[in-house]
Amino acid sequence: MSGNRVALIGSGCWGSAIAKIVGLNVMNQPDVFEKEVLMYVYEEIIDGAKLTDIINLEHENVKYLPDIKISPNVIAVPDVVQACTNADILIFVLPHQFVKETCEKMASAVKPGALGLSLIKGFVLTEGEGIQLVSNIIKNTLDIETAVLMGANLATEVASEMFCETTIACHNPEYHGILSKLFQTPYFRVKVIENVAGVEACGALKNVVGIGAGIVDGLGFGDNTKAAVIRLGLMEMMKFTKVFLESDDISVFFESCGIADLVATCHGGRNRLLGEAVVKSMKYICHSSYFEPFCLSRLFSAAAFSYNHSSRHMMFQVLYSHHMAKNSCLVFTYFIYE
Amino acid sequence: MSGNRVALIGSGCWGSAIAKIVGLNVMNQPDVFEKEVLMYVYEEIIDGAKLTDIINLEHENVKYLPDIKISPNVIAVPDVVQACTNADILIFVLPHQFVKETCEKMASAVKPGALGLSLIKGFVLTEGEGIQLVSNIIKNTLDIETAVLMGANLATEVASEMFCETTIACHNPEYHGILSKLFQTPYFRVKVIENVAGVEACGALKNVVGIGAGIVDGLGFGDNTKAAVIRLGLMEMMKFTKVFLESDDISVFFESCGIADLVATCHGGRNRLLGEAVVKSMKYICHSSYFEPFCLSRLFSAAAFSYNHSSRHMMFQVLYSHHMAKNSCLVFTYFIYE
């Protein structure tokens, strides 16, 4: 096991935080990995200079993760085909809406037998095909085994080396060791399991509950109410997994990708901010311009609504309420308990 | 099922919040309950007047829960024997260190066949007998069936009618209906289950994790780290339950008394404040005067330490660290992952 070449596909805030970890781990384990890590960067001009040039000169993504140094063996390139050519491990960390077209560009260049790894939290809505797992899009477009990495990993805190855990899931146990070696650090603790779909669903669904938690905050409720929404949200996530993934494996919810990510999202995530903003602005969430990047919630709500119309699905009620008033929190809770 | 007489043994902040709920529920269900609820109040003099007189005149516990009205059918009495005589349901909500002596005073007056219900979160250390469940002390001293009520129920939020859930556990399913009728309101949602020891252990153990969460806050770590501590704490709670209660029933951790109370405690509870204060004061927790009321943590830590000395028991390491420095958070996490 040596000479594994790693490539990063994406370089936003989370991508840059991960580049810092992966860059150092690759450099420190020359018996396992090739030293150079190519990182695909969507080219932008910052103060007259190319972002790729800035990253390669200053070893810092000044736009998306300022003040955090990335090790110099991570090389930014603006061409995704160049980035992925010859790579044995492809780490995907870009907005979910760009995954399919990026994979299609890469398809002819990707090495047969390469391993994909998705760090993208969310589902993808494909025209006429409903909701899909991001890992399935990567796997099917590139014809490669695809793993996922999810956890309570707010990017700026990871970049600042505040302790956290993460969960990696890969069907093939032969890859578990190398994935652990690629990501584990003293402050970023890795657990590798096999349930890819379960881990990926956790990473997507917790955002819906995060919006609910933000609504609770916006309405001025306290820690009891928020804890109830988190608990009920966890129950909804389990139910969703059971129905749509046909999985009874609840152990995944005890990993970092489950309860820990849910708690972190409900307290520090941007979906929580969205929920709070919606209440405070008194706009309907479906009219909010904030909402477009978070289409997951709409999908989940619609899906939940379609499979059991009669009761128990709180988020639909909350998100689509036409009376976002003080008592809407109670409205959805009645809904659950009916 | 009628004429059930209810008594409250205790009247602090949580006792007064519960008196508000129980008083109204009893009054509104005359087919099930006797109207009058006697509440045992440890007599104190407030501005020259007896606290019992103030409560009975103003229907407010001005010392422990000011600005919250209790319905007038709740009558404060300073004599615990008077309070419990003829009662069919005895609700215990007083500090755990007074439970045994209070029960001994009541023993000859309690109606045979009465039902006890403990709202007390914590274990009791009895000289020479180790840790005991509060419900067992009540049950054994009074020779009555004893249920428990635990959940994400920060008292002042409950008193302000912010939505939350609670878990009641009673071995005998025949009591489930009446317990639900006694406590459920639109803002305080009751689920009744049978696992008394499991629910009670949740209510006690989450305080230990709450201290850990406070330490994380005091050290300036973020949401990722706190989420990791909550998750790892939950795993510790499960392990404790498995070893000491010999129970494999993890469903209790999905109720309000489990994950919800844990999350609320780690964000809004006084044990979190304790943990934070310890770090900020740089005192050792075992020397802190704050610590005496929270002896649970010491017990739990010692217990955890004794049953598995070698690894994985983070709270001992955190609480007894002689170097409460910036990196102690990392110290305990290494400890876990070894």
Side-chain angles (χ1 to χ4, degrees):
Chain A
M1 193 164 65
S2 73
N4 289 286
R5 180 173 280 276
V6 179
L8 285 154
I9 311 301
S11 58
C13 182
W14 186 212
S16 303
I18 279 296
K20 176 183 165 180
I21 289 174
V22 165
L24 275 174
N25 274 352
V26 161
M27 199 156 62
N28 292 335
Q29 297 174 88
D31 52 324
V32 186
F33 300 106
E34 290 287 319
K35 187 179 165 190
E36 188 183 74
V37 175
L38 296 186
M39 175 170 72
Y40 164 60
V41 175
Y42 180 80
E43 193 68 282
E44 296 179 66
I45 303 301
I46 313 290
D47 293 335
K50 289 179 178 173
L51 182 56
T52 49
D53 287 343
I54 298 171
I55 292 173
N56 291 331
L57 278 170
E58 299 180 19
H59 309 300
E60 185 181 320
N61 187 334
V62 294
K63 178 157 183 191
Y64 294 104
L65 192 64
D67 304 323
I68 300 293
K69 289 292 171 195
I70 300 168
S71 66
N73 56 317
V74 176
I75 314 291
V77 295
D79 178 356
V80 73
V81 171
Q82 184 195 348
C84 73
T85 303
N86 296 322
D88 301 287
I89 300 176
L90 295 158
I91 302 169
F92 289 84
V93 53
L94 69 174
H96 60 75
Q97 60 268 37
F98 303 130
V99 170
K100 195 161 169 64
E101 65 175 88
T102 307
C103 283
E104 283 165 354
K105 272 187 207 155
M106 294 161 64
S108 61
V110 164
K111 202 168 164 176
L115 174 66
L117 176 73
S118 170
L119 272 62
I120 301 159
K121 289 181 175 175
F123 297 138
V124 170
L125 177 64
T126 315
E127 203 69 47
E129 293 178 70
I131 296 170
Q132 282 193 70
L133 298 174
V134 171
S135 64
N136 274 348
I137 292 177
I138 296 170
K139 184 179 164 187
N140 295 338
T141 313
L142 299 177
D143 194 23
I144 56 173
E145 164 106 31
T146 305
V148 298
L149 180 153
M150 308 276 148
N153 303 146
L154 300 167
T156 51
E157 293 182 13
V158 172
S160 303
E161 303 191 7
M162 289 180 184
F163 175 85
C164 68
E165 307 177 295
T166 201
T167 311
I168 296 177
C170 180
H171 291 300
N172 187 344
E174 284 178 22
Y175 290 121
H176 287 195
I178 197 167
L179 286 167
S180 186
K181 284 180 185 177
L182 187 53
F183 289 98
Q184 179 128 296
T185 77
Y187 63 86
F188 192 71
R189 308 302 295 184
V190 173
K191 168 103 175 264
V192 193
I193 63 175
E194 291 183 22
N195 182 355
V196 174
V199 170
E200 191 167 355
C202 281
L205 296 174
K206 51 94 188 173
N207 284 331
V208 184
V209 188
I211 295 174
I215 290 172
V216 166
D217 287 342
L219 292 170
F221 287 91
D223 289 307
N224 288 350
T225 311
K226 195 154 163 177
V229 165
I230 290 171
R231 188 192 82 80
L232 292 163
L234 182 66
M235 298 299 102
E236 291 282 305
M237 288 167 66
M238 287 181 176
K239 207 181 299 165
F240 187 97
T241 303
K242 193 175 168 71
V243 171
F244 288 100
L245 304 182
E246 293 169 6
S247 168
D248 280 323
D249 172 18
I250 62 162
S251 67
V252 70
F253 295 99
F254 293 116
E255 300 297 342
S256 179
C257 63
I259 183 64
D261 196 8
L262 179 63
V263 169
T265 297
C266 288
H267 289 91
R270 60 184 180 173
N271 285 279
R272 193 208 67 79
L273 286 175
L274 168 70
E276 191 173 23
V278 166
V279 175
K280 290 193 170 161
S281 72
M282 297 300 283
K283 287 177 189 166
Y284 306 145
I285 197 164
C286 47
H287 297 164
S288 168
S289 61
Y290 288 103
F291 192 56
E292 286 314 311
F294 301 92
C295 61
L296 158 69
S297 316
R298 199 161 41 187
L299 303 180
F300 175 45
S301 304
F305 194 67
S306 67
Y307 89 81
N308 184 342
H309 195 286
S310 61
S311 68
R312 289 178 182 276
H313 295 99
M314 62 176 179
M315 287 305 162
F316 180 87
Q317 185 76 356
V318 176
L319 294 175
Y320 289 85
S321 168
H322 282 261
H323 304 284
M324 191 61 81
K326 188 79 184 170
N327 64 350
S328 60
C329 190
L330 293 179
V331 169
F332 85 72
T333 54
Y334 278 123
F335 199 51
I336 294 160
Y337 280 98
E338 260 168 14
Chain B
M1 193 164 66
S2 72
N4 288 287
R5 180 173 279 277
V6 178
L8 284 155
I9 311 300
S11 57
C13 182
W14 185 210
S16 303
I18 279 298
K20 177 183 164 179
I21 288 174
V22 165
L24 275 175
N25 275 352
V26 162
M27 200 157 61
N28 292 335
Q29 297 174 88
D31 53 323
V32 186
F33 301 105
E34 290 287 318
K35 187 178 166 191
E36 189 183 74
V37 174
L38 296 187
M39 174 169 72
Y40 163 60
V41 176
Y42 180 80
E43 193 67 282
E44 294 179 68
I45 304 300
I46 312 288
D47 294 334
K50 288 180 178 172
L51 182 55
T52 50
D53 288 342
I54 299 171
I55 293 173
N56 291 331
L57 279 169
E58 300 181 19
H59 309 299
E60 185 181 320
N61 187 335
V62 293
K63 178 159 182 190
Y64 294 103
L65 192 64
D67 304 322
I68 300 293
K69 289 292 172 196
I70 299 169
S71 67
N73 57 319
V74 176
I75 314 292
V77 296
D79 178 355
V80 74
V81 171
Q82 183 193 350
C84 73
T85 302
N86 296 321
D88 301 288
I89 301 176
L90 295 158
I91 301 170
F92 289 84
V93 53
L94 69 175
H96 60 75
Q97 60 267 38
F98 303 129
V99 171
K100 197 163 168 60
E101 64 174 89
T102 307
C103 284
E104 283 165 355
K105 272 186 208 155
M106 294 162 62
S108 60
V110 164
K111 202 169 164 176
L115 175 67
L117 176 73
S118 169
L119 273 62
I120 301 160
K121 290 180 175 176
F123 297 137
V124 170
L125 177 63
T126 315
E127 203 68 46
E129 293 177 71
I131 296 170
Q132 281 193 71
L133 297 175
V134 171
S135 64
N136 275 346
I137 291 176
I138 297 170
K139 185 179 162 188
N140 295 337
T141 313
L142 299 178
D143 194 23
I144 56 173
E145 165 105 31
T146 305
V148 298
L149 180 154
M150 307 276 148
N153 303 146
L154 299 167
T156 51
E157 294 182 12
V158 173
S160 303
E161 304 191 6
M162 290 179 183
F163 174 85
C164 67
E165 307 177 295
T166 200
T167 311
I168 295 176
C170 180
H171 290 302
N172 187 344
E174 283 178 23
Y175 291 120
H176 286 196
I178 196 167
L179 286 168
S180 186
K181 284 179 186 181
L182 187 53
F183 289 97
Q184 179 129 296
T185 78
Y187 63 87
F188 192 70
R189 309 302 295 186
V190 173
K191 168 102 173 267
V192 193
I193 63 175
E194 293 183 20
N195 183 355
V196 174
V199 170
E200 191 167 355
C202 281
L205 297 174
K206 52 93 189 172
N207 284 332
V208 184
V209 188
I211 295 174
I215 291 172
V216 165
D217 287 341
L219 293 169
F221 286 91
D223 289 306
N224 288 350
T225 311
K226 196 154 163 178
V229 165
I230 290 171
R231 187 191 83 80
L232 292 163
L234 182 66
M235 297 298 104
E236 292 281 305
M237 288 167 65
M238 287 180 176
K239 207 181 297 163
F240 187 96
T241 303
K242 194 174 167 70
V243 171
F244 289 99
L245 305 182
E246 293 170 5
S247 167
D248 279 325
D249 172 19
I250 62 163
S251 66
V252 70
F253 295 99
F254 293 116
E255 301 297 342
S256 178
C257 63
I259 183 65
D261 195 8
L262 179 63
V263 169
T265 297
C266 288
H267 289 91
R270 60 186 179 171
N271 284 281
R272 193 208 67 78
L273 286 175
L274 169 70
E276 191 172 23
V278 167
V279 175
K280 291 192 170 163
S281 71
M282 297 301 282
K283 288 178 188 166
Y284 305 146
I285 198 164
C286 46
H287 297 164
S288 168
S289 60
Y290 288 104
F291 191 56
E292 285 315 310
F294 300 93
C295 62
L296 157 69
S297 316
R298 197 161 42 186
L299 302 180
F300 176 45
S301 303
F305 194 67
S306 68
Y307 89 82
N308 185 341
H309 194 288
S310 62
S311 69
R312 290 180 181 275
H313 296 98
M314 61 178 180
M315 287 305 161
F316 181 88
Q317 186 76 356
V318 176
L319 294 175
Y320 290 83
S321 169
H322 284 259
H323 304 283
M324 192 61 80
K326 188 78 183 170
N327 63 350
S328 60
C329 191
L330 293 179
V331 168
F332 85 73
T333 54
Y334 278 124
F335 199 51
I336 295 160
Y337 280 98
E338 261 167 12

